[in-house]
Amino acid sequence: MTYSQHIRAVLTLGLPLIGGHLAQFAIGLTDTIMLGWYGAESLAALTLAPAFFFVFFLMGCGFAWAVMPLVAQAAASDDTQTVRRVTRMGLWLSGLYWAAVMPLLWFSGAILLALGQTEALAADAQTYLRIAGFGMLPALLVMVLKSYLAALERTRVVLLVTVLAAIANGMGNYALIFGNWGAPELGIAGAAIAAILSQLTALVAIAVYTQRRMPQHAMFQRFWRADPQMFARVFRLGVPIGLTTLAEVGLFEATAIMMGWLGTVPLAAHGIALQTASATFMVHLGFGNVATIRAGNALGRNDPEHLARGARTVLGLSLAMSLMTITLFLTLPHLLVSAFIDPADPARDAIVATGVTLLAVAALFQLVDGAQVVALGILRGMQDTRVPMIMAIAAYWGVGIPASYVFGFVLGGEAVGIWLGLVFGLTLAALAMLWRFWGQSLPGMRGQNAGHLAPATDPH
């Protein structure tokens, strides 16, 4: 394939995935905007509670993301049985994981108090998490089925299901946060109930699609039958992916906790700036998913040159997106931040001023944030997850979090200093992941191919 063919293939596969990630992001964005209009205290609690929720949710998504490269590799060799076995065990592992972490969500108030949050913030956050925790199970199952369908290059249905969930969440928020359409006014608890409704909507829709449009996989027949061999395979691949994700998410959530130490205004500004930066990250995440799928296919065909050219294409598209985002953040920060706050809120000016400054720092890490998530996607497609996990933990926790604390509190940089620590951690991660692929994994794959060819070409 030429580079233009690679670009067309990446965009054909990737644009629905990017749209799906943006629709998923819109769910959190809707919560942030509506509770921002409901009150600054609720917005601060919402910044804290989903941060806690997503630490555990995204770690659990490691099993879903393990399904993607395994299904892509099996699909490249037309192995229908392995496709079914991988996906089923991904669903099993996701359900077991949810049962293990639900108690932590139920008693989250005590954990947040121990992390230095105020009693009011911890109580509001626990109210949200006790309700939203029950929605984690359908959300994790949806992620597995999305990964399965995306690996089979059925990305349009992934987009449509996520859009449907976003619409359900928006309507639920409008009714239950403010008490519209005859519903009770529940504030932050209403946002949690709306999240459950949207996740159940998505699960029903994607399960029905899988059953009706993919009958050859018989996904839900004899679902209770154990498959120890494939269970172990998905587990071995999924745990490092989950821990890698936990390391990255933990970096951002540690900054949210540090912001909570500074007060409600910095925490609210952090939530707004992070939501804005996360919108552009969804594009890079979509490219990372494409990289995983296409790398898995290349691995199934044992084609390192196709893999290398595809990797250059995805990284180039991610770079172009980063440059556009940097321009946007530096030219229109006030417009982006002020959209989240009620004009009548007395804390509006202080929140906007801090948020504008944080967006300028966010522009600094756009390049490296996109590069590291795409590089991780390629490595996952090659089923190279253990060493990247170690690299991620070292970069995010060994460098990023300590740097945020030093810049924010020791050197007195406060909110801006905390975000500068993010830049350090993400930069180191990007450099490490790119070196791992170009310097280790890809040359190793080429070396294996050369070894296979040696007996046929050796004159002796």
Side-chain angles (χ1 to χ4, degrees):
M1 293 175 65
T2 64
Y3 280 110
S4 61
Q5 290 172 324
H6 272 285
I7 291 173
R8 284 196 296 272
V10 168
L11 293 178
T12 299
L13 182 61
L15 288 178
L17 287 175
I18 291 169
H21 285 306
L22 288 172
Q24 185 68 44
F25 164 77
I27 294 174
L29 180 65
T30 301
D31 292 347
T32 302
I33 291 176
M34 289 195 178
L35 280 175
W37 285 83
Y38 192 72
E41 291 292 336
S42 295
L43 177 59
L46 189 72
T47 300
L48 190 63
F52 192 91
F53 179 94
F54 279 107
V55 165
F56 295 102
F57 172 69
L58 291 175
M59 184 177 175
C61 285
F63 300 120
W65 289 325
V67 165
M68 190 177 291
L70 292 171
V71 169
Q73 182 184 16
S77 55
D78 295 321
D79 188 350
T80 300
Q81 185 181 26
T82 296
V83 169
R84 177 174 59 252
R85 293 172 65 201
V86 166
T87 307
R88 280 183 175 178
M89 291 303 99
L91 292 168
W92 270 47
L93 283 161
S94 296
L96 292 171
Y97 172 85
W98 170 79
V101 301
M102 183 61 194
L104 297 175
L105 300 175
W106 189 260
F107 297 106
S108 55
I111 298 172
L112 292 170
L113 283 173
L115 292 173
Q117 303 305 307
T118 66
E119 288 189 13
L121 276 177
D124 284 346
Q126 180 174 270
T127 298
Y128 179 93
L129 289 165
R130 284 188 168 182
I131 299 169
F134 290 100
M136 184 181 288
L137 177 59
L140 289 171
L141 300 180
V142 167
M143 287 299 297
V144 173
L145 294 175
K146 282 182 179 181
S147 293
Y148 149 74
L149 292 170
L152 298 175
E153 302 192 8
R154 291 180 174 259
T155 55
R156 291 184 182 179
V157 67
V158 173
L159 169 61
L160 293 175
V161 165
T162 314
V163 168
L164 180 64
I167 292 171
N169 182 75
M171 294 176 65
N173 272 337
Y174 182 74
L176 296 171
I177 292 176
F178 300 100
N180 292 314
W181 298 334
E185 181 182 340
L186 300 176
I188 194 169
I193 295 171
I196 293 178
L197 294 176
S198 72
Q199 290 148 2
L200 290 173
T201 299
L203 179 60
V204 170
I206 202 166
V208 169
Y209 177 90
T210 299
Q211 182 69 19
R212 292 186 177 180
R213 299 300 298 271
M214 311 297 289
Q216 68 273 26
H217 294 147
M219 192 61 65
F220 306 114
Q221 293 180 17
R222 295 185 296 278
F223 182 79
W224 59 87
R225 294 184 62 180
D227 187 348
Q229 181 182 6
M230 194 57 70
F231 184 96
R233 187 178 179 188
V234 176
F235 181 84
R236 285 194 301 268
L237 190 62
V239 168
I241 293 175
L243 291 175
T244 301
T245 305
L246 176 63
E248 181 178 3
V249 173
L251 170 64
F252 284 92
E253 305 317 342
T255 62
I257 290 171
M258 292 183 200
M259 288 289 183
W261 298 343
L262 296 175
T264 299
V265 168
L267 182 59
H270 169 85
I272 292 170
L274 194 57
Q275 284 281 352
T276 307
S278 295
T280 61
F281 179 76
M282 294 300 106
V283 178
H284 300 296
L285 185 58
F287 284 137
N289 293 154
V290 174
T292 298
I293 295 165
R294 290 176 61 77
N297 284 332
L299 183 66
R301 295 193 306 269
N302 197 27
D303 190 348
E305 298 311 316
H306 180 79
L307 172 62
R309 187 166 292 204
R312 294 188 193 100
T313 301
V314 179
L315 287 166
L317 289 170
S318 177
L319 172 62
M321 179 63 197
S322 294
L323 295 176
M324 289 189 289
T325 302
I326 290 170
T327 302
L328 180 66
F329 283 3
L330 294 179
T331 56
L332 298 173
H334 191 277
L335 178 65
L336 293 172
V337 176
S338 60
F340 288 87
I341 302 296
D342 185 345
D345 195 312
R348 173 187 171 87
D349 290 342
I351 294 173
V352 170
T354 303
V356 166
T357 306
L358 293 182
L359 270 191
V361 182
L364 292 177
F365 65 67
Q366 285 299 304
L367 286 172
V368 291
D369 201 17
Q372 62 91 20
V373 74
V374 172
L376 265 175
I378 299 169
L379 292 169
R380 287 172 184 172
M382 299 180 72
Q383 300 177 32
D384 180 9
T385 59
R386 292 185 182 180
V387 172
M389 174 190 69
I390 296 169
M391 291 176 168
I393 293 172
Y396 302 140
W397 289 73
V399 175
I401 292 177
S404 289
Y405 182 81
V406 169
F407 287 132
F409 297 96
V410 177
L411 300 180
E414 295 190 342
V416 173
I418 291 171
W419 273 52
L420 285 174
L422 293 174
V423 176
F424 274 76
L426 291 168
T427 300
L428 181 59
L431 294 174
M433 302 303 172
L434 290 170
W435 173 83
R436 175 67 180 173
F437 173 66
W438 294 109
Q440 297 289 314
S441 298
L442 182 61
M445 185 177 178
R446 285 171 169 159
Q448 288 177 356
N449 279 5
H452 292 321
L453 291 174
T457 56
D458 188 346
H460 301 293

